[in-house]
Amino acid sequence: MEGFFGNCFNMILLMLCFTNLSIAFAQSHMNGFGEQPLAKIAIHKTVLALHSSASIIAVPFVLGTKGEDTQLVTVELESPIPSVDDWVGVFSPANFNSATCPDTDGIGWVEEPYICTAPIKYKYANYSNRNYAKTGKAILKFQLINQRADFSFALFSGGLSDPRLVAISNSISFANPKAPVYPRLALGKSWGEMTVTWTSGYDINEAVPFVEWGPKGGKKTRSHAGTLTFNRNSMCGEPARTVGWRDPGFIHTSFLKELWPNFRYTYKLGHMLSNGSYVWSKKYSFKASPYPGQNSLQRVIIFGDMGKAERDGSNEYADYQPGSLNTTDQLVKDLENYDIVFHIGDMPYANGYISQWDQFTAQVQEISSTVPYMIASGNHERDWPNTGSFYDTPDSGGECGVPAETMYYFPAENRAKFWYKADYGLFRFCIADSEHDWREGSEQYKFIEHCLATVDRKHQPWLIFSAHRPLGYSSNLWYGMEGSFEEPMGRESLQKLWQKYKVDIGFYGHVHNYERVCPIYQNQCVNEEKHHYSGTVNGTIHVVVGGGGSHLSDFTPSPPIWSLYRDVDYGFGKLTAFNHSYLLFEYKKSSDGEVYDSFTISRDYRDVLACVHDGCEKTTLAT
């Protein structure tokens, strides 16, 4: 008996360890597999240690003299007391002393700080000179983007955790810091409409925002724009309300209507100043959407969890989103070979450091200014305790959805409820919000059913469901530990909708890898094929495309039989509809753009109408 109880005790300990390990993996994922680089800086602990013999100089003094919205800056520094943990932070606005600090009531500063906002980015002083600790001299290069304010650089000793301010540079600025920048296209609520969103430093009492646009080579017209912004009080918690806060500027959206299908249009952003003069952006172009049901070649990119990274090597020791630039660059390189992008959640991983939203919109602007850039809500955009999110986690860093909902347009009825439908030619996309309740009886469940039920499959044969978290299937490590192979309660209510309305594919992010599942219903593969599916739609194919750029996730050691292809690497998905009867899906790696997995679907309209298990209403044999 003693041996029996001893074995039981050991088993209990093992189960407890297993549970704790599962929780640890889940928590590490929810925190983005790493800490936001700027969160490593204990800026509120800064001690003034200005040294008369220390100096830091930044050139050129004026940026963007030829209209550029990004430019390389040279920073030369010298310190009489150099150390390997000295670092340089980029601050904007340039005046970052205590005069700019908010009222400390309720914010929780230990004492009145000298600096109360984190830098936009940072580098260690020895980044380009390994002998800095001996010589005390270094030259650093920083890539700056136009962010509506001037910049200055500060030299710190004491590392990131105990910063001591040694020297402050001169200020530098863009020639027109308020200029309109970083256009983001998105589908409107009707098929013949395109929206253009951008950021500027102009409030409506300073300048009137508009878009000048028209058919390529044709007559131009002007469409006015609405203006939104948000303030510190819009944030739900720290660091978004404290050290992470930065003024987001003004976000403008214009609606370009009555577009002709597939026509190429050119456009530029404009602001009419109160004195009658104009400020213009560069010229851009886009192709209007196809008519719903139009029989033509249509190509869609879909991925999640990309993040952002700094091309100048800033924040290099954090290596926070190591694959994001590879994915961005591969999509830019292939820009002529797709028509629309769906980024299904976890975008910049700003986590409450608002300056990073500008960095992200700048990173993807070559894509978003040319094709519609549709987004979904992820945990790092929305989740914050006691704010109505389905998950009571602090993943958004206090943003609680506000920057995402303001910086990007999406055709939802209520921007705070991040679910919407998007019709694009042969496709109907039903984009769910996994950070709000989707279970049967909820408001979102009713939307999902309405979105799936109202599509005319004769004209729009390809029905796509998408959400940030895997509400379908995933053999990721921590889901395997939980034994669910899904987000808890994920498919419990939704799988009967997918089956009833014969959803072709479900796409998800959140898990940072790639996985393809067989056509499946109630945990059972309903088709033995691996790469080509034809005939009756008797199950939904589920695909995880969460390898956009953030740290990668491992799979469970023993994958289920329904998992057909798995890859722990950075990549994205591509859908190509050739016509009403033939669809191609490809998984491409960000490193080389090559195809590593694919499948096709071929069928006729009658195959969608055909009855399958739980897929048709009951019939009678009445004569």
Side-chain angles (χ1 to χ4, degrees):
M1 288 293 289
E2 184 174 308
F4 172 79
F5 283 116
N7 288 336
C8 285
F9 182 72
N10 289 335
M11 288 181 67
I12 291 170
L13 283 177
L14 183 62
M15 290 175 66
L16 286 171
C17 290
F18 188 81
T19 302
N20 289 336
L21 184 62
S22 176
I23 292 170
F25 270 105
Q27 287 176 337
S28 69
H29 171 76
M30 290 188 295
N31 290 329
F33 287 99
E35 191 177 4
Q36 157 63 245
L38 301 180
K40 297 177 181 293
I41 304 172
I43 202 68
H44 60 288
K45 294 183 178 179
T46 300
V47 174
L48 272 178
L50 297 172
H51 199 292
S52 59
S53 298
S55 65
I56 180 167
I57 300 172
V59 291
F61 297 148
V62 181
L63 311 175
T65 56
K66 297 180 181 178
E68 307 98 324
D69 52 31
T70 180
Q71 191 166 335
L72 206 61
V73 173
T74 301
V75 175
E76 187 171 350
L77 60 97
E78 185 171 350
S79 174
I81 46 171
S83 173
V84 291
D85 59 1
D86 288 0
W87 57 280
V88 174
V90 185
F91 290 85
S92 179
N95 177 20
F96 56 85
N97 64 32
S98 59
T100 65
C101 295
D103 186 348
T104 57
D105 289 346
I107 292 181
W109 301 111
V110 176
E111 58 186 45
E112 188 71 19
Y114 181 78
I115 307 175
C116 50
T117 56
I120 290 172
K121 57 169 74 175
Y122 68 91
K123 274 187 181 181
Y124 282 95
N126 62 5
Y127 178 77
S128 56
N129 179 8
R130 298 196 176 189
N131 293 320
Y132 167 77
K134 295 179 181 178
T135 65
K137 296 180 179 181
I139 297 176
L140 301 175
K141 300 280 188 180
F142 287 93
Q143 189 79 32
L144 297 187
I145 64 168
N146 195 344
Q147 288 185 266
R148 305 167 303 281
D150 53 4
F151 303 84
S152 61
F153 300 80
L155 173 62
F156 294 86
S157 63
L160 303 180
S161 59
D162 190 24
R164 300 173 61 82
L165 182 59
V166 176
I168 304 172
S169 79
N170 54 290
S171 65
I172 62 175
S173 66
F174 278 82
N176 183 3
K178 294 186 174 185
V181 288
Y182 320 130
R184 288 90 76 182
L185 298 173
L187 301 180
K189 291 183 179 179
S190 64
W191 71 267
E193 182 178 61
M194 188 73 76
T195 69
V196 186
T197 300
W198 71 96
T199 306
S200 86
Y202 293 112
D203 197 356
I204 54 173
N205 58 7
E206 296 179 89
V208 178
F210 64 93
V211 176
E212 185 173 276
W213 62 284
K216 188 174 182 180
K219 183 180 178 181
K220 300 296 184 286
T221 187
R222 291 181 179 178
S223 295
H224 64 272
T227 299
L228 297 172
T229 189
F230 54 92
N231 58 38
R232 191 190 298 266
N233 293 333
S234 305
M235 304 292 97
C236 293
E238 299 179 24
R241 288 177 69 97
T242 56
V243 296
W245 172 253
R246 186 179 190 275
D247 192 305
F250 301 96
I251 295 89
H252 316 280
T253 298
S254 183
F255 297 81
L256 316 186
K257 301 183 178 183
E258 298 183 4
L259 303 176
W260 289 40
N262 308 298
F263 264 52
R264 175 66 62 177
Y265 289 85
T266 61
Y267 71 97
K268 60 181 180 178
L269 318 172
H271 290 265
M272 184 175 70
L273 303 180
S274 55
N275 63 7
S277 63
Y278 292 87
V279 176
W280 296 101
S281 73
K282 303 171 187 175
K283 183 182 289 187
Y284 305 93
S285 72
F286 67 88
K287 188 175 76 170
S289 302
Y291 184 79
Q294 178 184 296
N295 199 35
S296 62
L297 181 69
Q298 295 155 21
R299 303 154 302 177
V300 180
I301 297 293
I302 187 164
F303 62 88
D305 306 76
M306 184 160 76
K308 58 157 285 289
E310 300 291 348
R311 294 187 185 277
D312 60 11
S314 294
N315 314 343
E316 72 277 4
Y317 290 97
D319 197 21
Y320 188 45
Q321 315 295 345
S324 61
L325 292 181
N326 280 354
T327 300
T328 301
D329 293 346
Q330 197 59 243
L331 292 177
V332 169
K333 182 179 179 181
D334 203 37
L335 195 51
E336 294 182 356
N337 296 313
Y338 59 88
D339 306 299
I340 187 172
V341 168
F342 284 84
H343 186 159
I344 51 175
D346 283 8
M347 298 164 65
Y349 290 82
N351 295 4
Y353 289 84
I354 309 304
S355 65
Q356 304 307 287
W357 280 95
D358 284 325
Q359 304 285 338
F360 179 78
T361 56
Q363 179 177 302
V364 301
Q365 75 155 336
E366 200 165 346
I367 304 165
S368 66
S369 64
T370 307
V371 300
Y373 200 94
M374 311 302 295
I375 66 168
S377 180
N379 53 305
H380 285 278
E381 278 81 52
R382 180 60 182 85
D383 292 359
W384 190 256
N386 301 314
T387 63
S389 51
F390 195 53
Y391 297 88
D392 206 33
T393 67
D395 296 359
S396 76
E399 294 179 12
C400 55
V402 175
E405 295 160 13
T406 310
M407 299 286 284
Y408 281 81
Y409 177 83
F410 46 95
E413 291 302 318
N414 182 338
R415 300 280 286 278
K417 297 172 180 176
F418 220 121
W419 52 79
Y420 62 92
K421 74 174 178 68
D423 290 317
Y424 192 86
L426 298 168
F427 292 96
R428 159 69 63 87
F429 291 91
C430 296
I431 308 299
D433 178 1
S434 62
E435 312 315 301
H436 281 90
D437 193 356
W438 63 83
R439 295 171 298 178
E440 190 167 6
S442 67
E443 182 182 357
Q444 182 172 195
Y445 183 89
K446 295 173 184 176
F447 156 77
I448 293 171
E449 179 160 28
H450 184 263
C451 183
L452 299 176
T454 54
V455 61
D456 179 356
R457 299 297 287 278
K458 180 167 73 272
H459 295 114
Q460 290 179 282
W462 310 118
L463 182 55
I464 309 298
F465 174 85
S466 186
H468 175 63
R469 295 174 185 257
L471 304 184
Y473 295 82
S474 166
S475 65
N476 195 63
L477 181 60
W478 71 80
Y479 289 147
M481 288 177 172
E482 294 167 353
S484 61
F485 294 113
E486 61 161 344
E487 195 67 36
M489 299 178 288
R491 57 181 178 267
E492 183 178 312
S493 300
L494 296 176
Q495 62 180 342
K496 60 185 177 184
L497 295 184
W498 299 331
Q499 187 75 356
K500 178 179 180 180
Y501 297 108
K502 301 181 175 68
V503 172
D504 291 296
I505 310 174
F507 285 104
Y508 315 97
H510 194 61
V511 172
H512 301 169
N513 55 34
Y514 169 76
E515 183 171 22
R516 175 167 63 90
V517 173
C518 64
I520 194 169
Y521 180 54
Q522 293 182 334
N523 291 309
Q524 300 295 316
C525 293
V526 295
N527 193 313
E528 295 181 355
E529 293 293 328
K530 298 292 190 292
H531 293 281
H532 180 70
Y533 307 104
S534 59
T536 305
V537 186
N538 52 6
T540 298
I541 300 167
H542 295 269
V543 182
V544 174
V545 282
S550 192
H551 287 78
L552 296 167
S553 308
D554 292 324
F555 291 100
T556 185
S558 302
I561 58 172
W562 41 253
S563 180
L564 298 185
Y565 191 98
R566 296 168 301 283
D567 188 36
V568 183
D569 204 351
Y570 302 110
F572 51 90
K574 182 179 181 181
L575 287 166
T576 302
F578 293 94
N579 49 46
H580 286 77
S581 301
Y582 198 80
L583 180 71
L584 167 67
F585 171 80
E586 299 168 296
Y587 163 62
K588 295 187 171 189
K589 291 198 180 190
S590 301
S591 56
D592 57 14
E594 298 297 320
V595 176
Y596 286 80
D597 183 40
S598 65
F599 65 85
T600 58
I601 301 175
S602 61
R603 62 156 185 260
D604 296 322
Y605 178 48
R606 63 180 181 178
D607 297 322
V608 182
L609 298 177
C611 288
V612 297
H613 182 66
D614 289 345
C616 276
E617 302 293 339
K618 292 181 179 180
T619 58
T620 72
L621 297 178
T623 59

